[in-house]
Amino acid sequence: MPSNSYPIIAREGWPTLILLAVIALIAKLTLGLVAGGILLVLMLLVMILLRDPPRAVPAIPLGVVSPLHGRVIAVDHLTDIWLKRSSIRLRLRMSPLNIFSLRSPVEGKIMDQRSGRDPDNPDIRQYAFWIKTDEGDDVIMSIRMNWWPKRLKLYVQCGERLGQGQRCGYLYFGGEVDIWLPEQFRVDVIHGQTVRAGSMLLGKLVHRKSSEAAAS
């Protein structure tokens, strides 16, 4: 179940930290202070890797926020492989040292969850969920599992609602995420730009009525 209440250190890493703390204590008691200190430093490094700071979600109507902390590696006009429509695809990439939490790009209802292989690279698995906003826009968030062995935890189910910027998953050691958006989406980021999960806008969903009202 997605939640807006979570600690600064990702709970997905708590078992690892507890195990390291126990090993560090045993090492200190049996092997001495130096061995225990080395393992304690390792535990602190893991804590940094598992950081999950809170994010201030911008209050911008029809805005789409970044689902991850990383970098824009592609901005394309393509046919959506999930909904078979003309679409804008933003591909974002985490690094193995980035924050690994995944957040919802928009507020809305989970309509469907799907999985499959990348049409261009069958070695890449994809896990996607379809969000319909209250304004009727369809947004697909597709997590790409590359060749590097990874673990993914998703906390979403069909029929549930997600808030914009809400934590909804965890991708261990990073990866790539595709955001499939309506063709009229206004992109506010460029290739190579750094993005921050939950707090940085990727662009805005454009509605013809709102555009006409703004023009008048």
Side-chain angles (χ1 to χ4, degrees), residues 17 19-28 32-48:
L17 291 175
L19 178 61
L20 285 173
V22 171
I23 294 174
L25 178 60
I26 294 173
K28 178 181 179 296
L33 187 61
V34 174
I38 291 173
L39 286 169
L40 182 60
V41 170
L42 176 60
M43 186 179 74
L44 293 175
L45 291 175
V46 172
M47 287 179 66
I48 294 172

Side-chain angles (χ1 to χ4, degrees), residues 45-216:
L45 291 175
V46 172
M47 287 179 66
I48 294 172
L49 192 64
L50 296 172
R51 68 198 185 280
D52 192 10
R55 295 295 185 190
V57 181
I60 298 180
L62 302 178
V64 176
V65 299
S66 174
L68 58 79
H69 192 98
R71 187 167 56 88
V72 180
I73 63 169
V75 180
D76 303 302
H77 291 262
L78 298 170
T79 299
D80 186 337
I81 63 173
W82 305 100
L83 296 182
K84 311 303 180 186
R85 59 173 179 171
S86 296
S87 178
I88 292 177
R89 184 196 67 181
L90 302 180
R91 178 165 290 175
L92 314 175
R93 178 182 293 163
M94 299 175 178
S95 86
L97 300 178
N98 277 141
I99 296 164
F100 303 141
S101 290
L102 297 171
R103 296 172 181 267
S104 176
V106 294
E107 180 179 2
K109 182 179 179 180
I110 304 294
M111 304 301 294
D112 196 8
Q113 293 176 273
R114 304 177 184 181
S115 63
R117 299 281 178 174
D118 187 320
D120 299 321
N121 187 347
D123 293 331
I124 295 180
R125 294 173 294 154
Q126 299 188 92
Y127 298 89
F129 55 95
W130 166 16
I131 307 170
K132 183 175 284 290
T133 70
D134 294 337
E135 294 78 21
D137 296 294
D138 294 310
V139 177
I140 300 286
M141 177 171 164
S142 175
I143 298 101
R144 294 165 54 80
M145 305 291 283
N146 298 338
W147 62 269
W148 178 265
K150 298 182 186 299
R151 288 179 59 203
L152 169 67
K153 284 189 176 181
L154 285 178
Y155 304 114
V156 296
Q157 299 292 333
C158 291
E160 290 181 350
R161 284 191 61 83
L162 279 175
Q164 187 182 45
Q166 186 172 345
R167 193 179 191 274
C168 59
Y170 198 79
L171 182 55
Y172 293 82
F173 304 110
E176 294 178 354
V177 171
D178 286 342
I179 307 296
W180 295 90
L181 297 145
E183 193 175 25
Q184 298 79 17
F185 179 72
R186 190 194 76 194
V187 181
D188 290 340
V189 291
I190 60 174
H191 183 278
Q193 185 171 344
T194 298
V195 292
R196 297 181 302 277
S199 63
M200 184 169 180
L201 280 179
L202 300 176
K204 291 186 69 175
L205 297 162
V206 177
H207 290 183
R208 180 171 296 176
K209 289 183 179 179
S210 59
S211 299
E212 291 174 353
S216 61

Side-chain angles (χ1 to χ4, degrees), residues 2-19:
S3 172
N4 279 325
S5 177
Y6 41 84
I8 293 177
I9 302 299
R11 60 172 57 93
E12 291 84 357
W14 287 5
T16 301
L17 291 175
I18 292 171
L19 178 61

